Amino acid sequence: MAALTGGEMCVKYLMFAFNFIFWLAGTGVLAVGLWLRFDPKTRNLFEGESSPYVFYTGVYILIAAGALMMVVGFFGCCGAIQESPCLLGLFFFFLLLIFAVEVAAGIWGFSNQSKVVDDITQFYRQTYSNYKENKQDALKETLRLFQERLNCCGPSNTAEDLKILEGTCPKKDGLETLIIKSCPDAIDEVFNSKLHIIGAVGIGIGVIMIFGMVFSMMLCCAIRKTREIV
C-alpha cells in the first residue's frame, strides 16, 4: 500500500480540521437550542398544556441536530486520522443527510416565521384571557414570568390591563411607566431577532458542510487509490 502524497496528506489534515470545526458548529447549534429551551425569556413557554407547539418543536429539533452534528464530527475526525474509507463514506452520507434536513428546516422556519410569533402571541393572549376569568395562581405566575422576562405588560398595555394584571407587570418608576411595551410587541421583537440569529448560524453551517463533503470524497478516493497500488 502506497503512502498518501503531500497534497493528499494536506487534504487529510484539512478534513480533520473541518470535522473539528463541524464538531464545534454542532456544539453551537446545541447551545442555541439549549439557550432557547432554558433561557429565562423562553423557558416558561414549555410549561403548561397550551404551550406553543411550533416553537418548542423547532427548539427540540435544534437540540437533536446539534447533538447529531457533534457525533458525526467526532467520527469524521476518526475516519480522517485512521484513513478509513468506510468511516469517511458514512461521514459523507450522514453529512449529506444533515445538510438536506437543515435546508428543509431552514425553508420551513423562515416560511413559518410569522406563525411562530403568532403561536406564542396566541399562547400569551389565551393565558391572559384565562387568568382574567378565573384568577388562578398558576396562570398569574406564568404571566408574571412572561412579562418580567420580556419587560412588557398586557396585550395592549392599557389601564385595564394594568388593573387586571396588578402584581404581574414589571415594576417601573416615573416616566418608565409610560414607555413599557405591550407583550405582543415584545414577543415580535424578541423572537424575530432570535430567528434571524438561528438563520445566520444555519447558513454558516451549511457552507461548512459543503466543504466537508468535498474534502471527505477527495480523501476517500485518495485512500482507495493508494490501497490499490501494490
Side-chain angles (χ1 to χ4, degrees):
M1 181 180 69
L4 295 174
T5 65
E8 291 166 347
M9 288 295 292
C10 181
V11 171
K12 171 182 175 178
Y13 289 109
L14 282 174
M15 183 66 185
F16 177 83
F18 161 78
N19 278 284
F20 182 71
I21 294 173
F22 186 72
W23 181 85
L24 290 177
T27 304
V29 172
L30 181 63
V32 170
L34 293 174
W35 168 50
L36 290 171
R37 175 62 181 87
F38 296 105
D39 186 85
K41 292 183 178 180
T42 55
R43 183 176 55 200
N44 62 303
L45 296 179
F46 293 84
E47 302 170 358
E49 297 180 356
S50 58
S51 300
Y53 77 93
V54 173
F55 176 70
Y56 67 67
T57 299
V59 169
Y60 286 130
I61 289 173
L62 272 180
I63 294 172
L68 179 61
M69 288 172 65
M70 292 179 67
V71 172
V72 172
F74 174 78
F75 283 109
C77 287
C78 293
I81 291 299
Q82 295 180 1
E83 299 181 9
S84 170
C86 180
L87 287 176
L88 290 172
L90 286 173
F91 169 78
F92 178 87
F93 171 77
F94 283 113
L95 196 62
L96 181 62
L97 183 65
I98 293 172
F99 180 77
V101 171
E102 182 187 358
V103 170
I107 294 173
W108 176 87
F110 279 94
S111 64
N112 289 276
Q113 180 174 347
S114 60
K115 180 172 176 54
V116 172
V117 176
D118 291 344
D119 192 27
I120 297 168
T121 302
Q122 180 59 35
F123 166 74
Y124 173 78
R125 291 185 184 276
Q126 186 62 48
T127 303
Y128 170 82
S129 178
N130 292 340
Y131 176 71
K132 186 177 178 180
E133 292 177 1
N134 52 43
K135 303 290 185 180
Q136 289 183 2
D137 290 338
L139 295 174
K140 180 177 181 179
E141 182 63 15
T142 299
L143 289 171
R144 186 187 67 79
L145 291 172
F146 203 106
Q147 292 170 159
E148 285 187 356
R149 301 309 180 187
L150 293 179
N151 194 27
C152 63
C153 185
S156 55
N157 193 25
T158 61
E160 181 184 3
D161 290 342
L162 295 174
K163 183 178 180 180
I164 294 172
L165 297 171
E166 184 178 0
T168 66
C169 292
K171 295 181 179 180
K172 300 290 183 179
D173 297 321
L175 294 176
E176 290 183 345
T177 59
L178 301 176
I179 59 175
I180 190 169
K181 297 177 182 178
S182 67
C183 286
D185 290 341
I187 292 168
D188 185 74
E189 179 181 327
V190 170
F191 286 95
N192 275 325
S193 64
K194 287 189 177 182
L195 286 172
H196 283 95
I197 292 172
I198 295 169
V201 171
I203 291 172
I205 292 172
V207 172
I208 293 173
M209 284 193 289
I210 291 173
F211 280 105
M213 286 186 282
V214 173
F215 286 151
S216 66
M217 283 296 97
M218 289 175 61
L219 182 59
C220 187
C221 291
I223 293 170
R224 286 180 176 176
K225 185 183 295 184
T226 59
R227 292 183 178 180
E228 291 174 356
I229 299 175
V230 179

